[in-house]
Every structure is written in C-alpha cells, then in structure tokens.
Amino acid sequence: MTKATSVSAQSQAVQSSGHVSFWHDQHKRRILADAVTYVFLTVMAIIWLTPIVWVFMESFNKDTSPYQATFFPREYTLNNFKQLFAERDVMNFPRMFANTFFIACCSCIISLFLLLCVAFCMSRLRFRGRRTFMNINLILGMFPGIMSVVAIYFILKSFGLTSGRFVILALILVYSAGAGAGFYVMKGYMDTIPKSLDEAAYLDGCTRWQVFFKIVLPLCKPMIVYQAISSFLAPWLDFVMVKAIARTQDNYTVALGLWQMLQKEYINQWYARFAAGAVCVSIPIAILFIIMQRFYQESVASGSVKG
Amino acid sequence: MADAAVTSAPSTGKRRRKVDPDGLLPSPYSAGNALKRGDLVTRLSFLVFGLGNLVRRQVVKGLIFLACEVGIIAYLATTGQQYLSKLPSLGTSAQTKVKVDGFWVYQKGDNSVQILLYGVMALFVVVFLIILAILSGRSAYKAQMVMSQGKKPASFMQDLRSLGNENAAVGLMFLPTAGIVVFTVLPLVFMISMAFTSYDKDHIVLFKWVGLQNFGKIFSSTSGDINGGLFLSVLTWSLVWAFFATFLNFFLGMFMAMIINRKTTRFKGFWRTCFSMSVAVPQFVSLLVMNTMLQHDGAINRLLVNSGLVSGPLPFLTDATWARVTVIVINLWVGIPFTIMQVTGILQNVPADLYEAAILDGANWWQRYMNVTMPYIMFILTPYLITTFTGNINNFNVIYLLSGGGPTPVGSSAGKTDLLITWLYKLTVDKSQYNIGAVVGIMTFIVLAIISLITYRSSGSYKNEEAFND
C-alpha cells in the first residue's frame, strides 16, 4: 500500500512538473526530504551504535589498561574471554553466572505464578475488597522501592538467610515474593479478553480454577511470555538489592560482579575483562529482548488504557 | 457504580453497611451481625476460635482455627510480648560487664533495631489475630444460620473445594498477598517508623523515639550535613531532571519514530533495529561503559582531543552544570529507543479514516499532526507519561551508575546530580543515617503522590475514558 501511494504521488508530481518553482515541485521536494531523512537517521544510528561497538571491540583488546590513547583498540586477542572464565581466584565469573541463572529461573517461575493469580482475581472475579486491594497497592507503589532495601536485609537476617548459601534463597525470595504487586499490565491484557467466554464456561459447569487454567491462561500466552522474560531479566539487571544482601563474592550476581570490576581497586587489571563479561551478559539478554519487543508494544497499548 | 451507591443509600436513615465499589452487596454473615444476632456459642467464637465450628460438627475447620489461635497466643506470650513491651522505649539497657566468680562476663544489652523489627512483626501478628477472630466469629455465625435453616454446614472437603470455585479469590490471593505483606508492607512500616527514631551512625545499637525531630532537621536552616537548603536543591534538581528526562525523551523519540514511519523512508525495520540495540544491552553495562568513556582520560575526551576539536579534556562529570546536562543527554540515549518502540506501535493504530477526513478537509501536515496524531498519542500515553515522570524521579540506575550523584562538594551529603532516591540510598547504605534516609523516603512518597494525583485527575483518559472507544 505504501508503495502504491508513493508511486501515484510520483506520477502526479511528474505530470505537474512543467514550469513550477522548486518548492512547489512535489517530486523534488520529496527527494530532498528523503535525503535529509537518511542523513539524519544515519548520524543518529552511528551515535546509538558507537558505545555498543566500542565495548565489543574493547573486549578483544590486547592492552588491558582502562584508558587508552586511541578510541578503538589497535591489537586484538581472545585472551580476555579466556582469562575471565579460567582465572577464578580473584573474581569467579562462571560462579556468578551460574548463580544469576539459577536465581533468575526460580524467581521467574514463582513470580509468574503469583502475578497470574492476582491478575486473574483482579480482572475476572468480583469480590469484596478488590478495589481496596488495588488502591492500597497503588499507594504502596509510590514509596521508593530503595527505601526498603535496608529493612529487607534486616528481615532476611532475622530469618537467618543472610549467610552462606542461604543468600541465594534470600535473593530468590526478594525478587519473587512481591511480584503480585505488579499485576497491572497483565490485568490490562486480561481485561481485553471477552467476559462472555468465561460465562459460557461457567454455564457448562466449569469452576473458576478451570476457567483460569483452561480459558484465560492459554489466551494470555503472548503477555505471559513477556512477563516471564521480564521477571527472568530482573535478577540480571538489578544490582541494588544484591549489593545490600550478598556480602561475600560467592553469592554475587553478574551485575554486581561487573560493577565491582570497575571499582578503583580492580579497574586497572580488570577493565578489558569487564568488557568481555559485559559482552557475555549482553548477548543472551539481547536475544531475549528481541523476542520480547513484539509484546512490549502491546503491553504499553493495552496496559495503560485499561486500569 | 456511583449510581449504585446512591440508590442503595438508606432512605429511612437507618445506618447500613457500605456497598462495595464494585456494586457487591454486603455479606449477611458480618462480624457485627454475628455479635448482635449470634447465640452464645457464636459470640464465644470470637474468644475461643473455632468453637462455633466444633460445636456444629465442622471439626477440621474448628481445629485449624483453634490451632492458629493457640500458636499465635503462645508466640505473643513468649517472644512477642517481650518485644512489644520494649517497643515504646526501644530498649534501655546497654551492654554491661559483670564480674561473675572473678571473671568479667559481658551481658547482652538491648538491640534497638531488633526490638523495632520484632516489635513491628509482633504488631502485625496482633492484627492477624484480630482478623482471625473476626473470621472465626463470622464462620461460626454462618454455621449457626445454616443449621437454623435445617441444612448441614459445609464439610471440610466442601470448604476446600469452594476455594477452587466460589472462594477462588481467597485461594488465589493468599500467597501473593502474604508475599506482599512480608516483603513490601512490613519493610515499609519498619522504615517509616525509623524516620521517628534517632537511628544513625552514632546510635547503631541503642536508639530511641524522637518524634518529628528528623523532619525538623531536614527543613532546618542551619548549616550542617543535612539542612533545608540541601533538601530543596536536591528536590528541585529531581523535578527538573524528571521533567527533562521525560519530555525530551518523549518528544525526540516521537519525532524519530515519525521520521522512520514516513511513507517514503525505506528499510524501516533496519532503522528500528539500530535503535533498539541499545535497549537490549543491560542498563548497568551501558551506563558503566558510558561512565568510563566520559572520564577525564576516557575514550570520548581522547577522541575529541586527538581530532583537535577541543584543546583540553571536557569536564563531563566533574563540573556541576556539565554533569547535569550530561546525565540528561545520556538518558536520551537510554530512553529514546523505548519511546520509538512504543510510539511506532501506537502510530500504526491511528484510525486511517481520521487522516482521510483531515486530508479531504484540506488540512496540511502540521494540522493533521496537531489535531489527529497528537491527541491520539496523548490519549493513550498520558497515564504512561505520568508513570514515566514518577519513575524518573526514582531513576536510581541512570544517576548512580553514570555520575554516582557527583560532583559532590566537600562536606555535603548529596552531590550535584543526586536525586532524592540516590541521596536516600547514600544516606542509608553508605552513611548509616537510617533515620534521615527514612525521612527522605517519606518526602519522596509525598512528592510522588501529589504529582500523580494532580496530573492523573486532570488528564484526558481519566475524565473521558471512552473517547476513542466506540
């Protein structure tokens, strides 16, 4: 359709281009506009891609010191990646990676379950206290989350979850336990599924659980994928909580580990390996994000209007 | 819904229970009714949980109620009571040395943090006990009413099964709510109560309630680590930052999305992929990289100096004004791709007939943009813009990872680019000023609540929900 209209516009322009001045010649004006557009987009694309390309190049840099004389490295090597995974005595990157993966998988499953339960209740069921729950939740959400970081640490400590391997369990709890509060987008999506489907099922003798599992959940699949990926990514991207809870390097996640590599005492030796680690972390996340992108647009459009 | 409330308002003047906003009628088995109309057993169920159920042959349910009560009271009588009684004073006895049999023995003193935390937890348990009492009374009353109608009260299995159907909301909401209470509400109550104590780096073990003194400190005009001037400057910068971060991102992002979306722009997918690459890289990576690139000896300064554009390195993050502009500009790099993705989705949904009508009426592109595109985008995105604005006031990552709040003047607790949220983090985690941190948190909450109330109530999608929905 785009092509057809542009062709017709061009033919119109060709027909009328007799003795008109430049600004009234649609054809020439369009070419100029296109040229400006492409120049603009190219410049912008370069600005946007430069830092990413730079980290990628830096991860193969033979010279491992942080501040170089040239913008891009001059000599390339695979050593940084080898060292990152082989030299484990100062910073155990493979261990961090495994930790993060485990935490992410567990909290993804738990938080998805909690979130779906709440979203279903808020969207499909009508019970006393529903509005109250939503209002209280809205107000709770306005308190800055970082405010409770210290408190959560004390609470976990009182349960004895802040030492040794229990920290992993503590982090899973922290990332997933409150997940029910983020039901808005999911609820917005469920609201768009016709209620008549549920009613038909109830007439056929379905219970509410059956409607939940057999009708609503399958229809929500796109949004479930989106939510699953975002709750999987949360532990990868968060470092505030880990920084407060994980006190020893055994329990670091990749975010905290990479942050640590750039601190004053490490940066001189670890800078190139930081870049290598960043590439290792970014590639799987980039793949997940490209999958997620499709659902992302939907979530904004549906979640924001229906409230 | 408002109508339902009006029509059900009592005409006789008799007080009645409020109708739920969803239009649900109040339950006939309320605690009030149970007290007023219940028999002796039902009323006693408020004290001895599950008594009514036990008498009316709902043995398992009654026993569960009873077991809960016994457990909770046992907890309160042993540990709970001990902390509750110390909660008003937050503990008084410091750690002491006593000579026992010729040896010095340390006697553990009170730990105020522990007392506060367990005290708040015990308060939660008391609230839970009261809720349980009401549930027990209501359940007993229900059993009584069912029996008086000559029917058999529901068996335990029936009750369990009802969790999957009539009471599905209870079954499904229990775990998520428990999670929210323990990991969101409890920490918040704990932190809020800290705002009224003297818990700072000088009072780590023993502290006491000080009322509104900390709020006074943050508004005071005296020069110190924390004062009114500093608070105002951080607050102003937070608002300015949130304003620019939200609206520059939105308008520039929309501009770019529309350029990509022009009819004659080719390779639309390619351009979009270019810009969404930066979304795919985790923020902590890209921001940390930016931070090193913008250092005095970093890659950007090298590039500029080597190419001869500037004579010396630019103070990207070391000069207050430079740093403020830098974080806003870098945030464009982070945020614009998000806007492009969203606006693209919405642009493709603008009803085409609106444009056709506008073209027939002879509207030029600017009129079409102002009267068709903008209203449509704004209608969908206003709630989103509000959340982005409040989200930006709380945008911890960009500031903390990029500038670290700096440059920080000597002797100040907040840097020139510190937002309320990063200031709060520094105060609590780095400086152990827990009480002031909590005050800053409460102030942040107040600011956010006011902003979202004002903007949301005056936005189009709140006043006119159905504008585009016919």
Side-chain angles (χ1 to χ4, degrees), chain B residues 174-188:
Chain B
F174 178 74
L175 267 181
T177 314
I180 293 173
V181 168
V182 176
F183 282 92
T184 312
V185 182
L186 180 61
L188 267 182

Side-chain angles (χ1 to χ4, degrees), chain A residues 2 34 37-38 48 68-69 118 128 130-131 142 144 146-147 151 158 208-209 236-237 271 289 296-297, chain B residues 22 25 118 163-165 176 191 262-264 266 279 284 292 302 306 333 337-338 341-342 396 421 448:
Chain A
T2 326
D34 277 355
T37 304
Y38 288 129
W48 250 265
Q68 319 264 317
V118 180
R128 257 176 313 268
R130 189 182 76 104
R131 290 286 173 133
M142 281 180 198
I146 287 181
M147 197 172 161
S158 75
R208 283 168 177 74
W209 270 88
W236 290 87
L237 305 180
Y271 192 68
F289 210 92
Y296 186 78
Q297 296 174 355
Chain B
D22 279 329
L25 290 172
Y118 286 115
L163 282 181
N165 200 12
M191 274 325 267
R262 281 175 75 229
K263 262 183 194 152
T264 52
R266 293 256 207 107
V279 177
F284 70 90
T292 53
R302 287 281 173 205
N306 286 354
W333 188 89
F338 282 101
M341 278 159 66
Q342 286 152 14
F396 181 85
I421 190 83
L448 290 183

Side-chain angles (χ1 to χ4, degrees), chain B residues 91-109:
Chain B
T92 44
S93 61
Q95 180 175 290
T96 46
K97 280 196 297 194
V98 190
K99 209 166 193 173
V100 181
D101 300 334
F103 293 103
W104 286 107
V105 175
Y106 283 98
Q107 275 191 330
K108 247 179 93 186

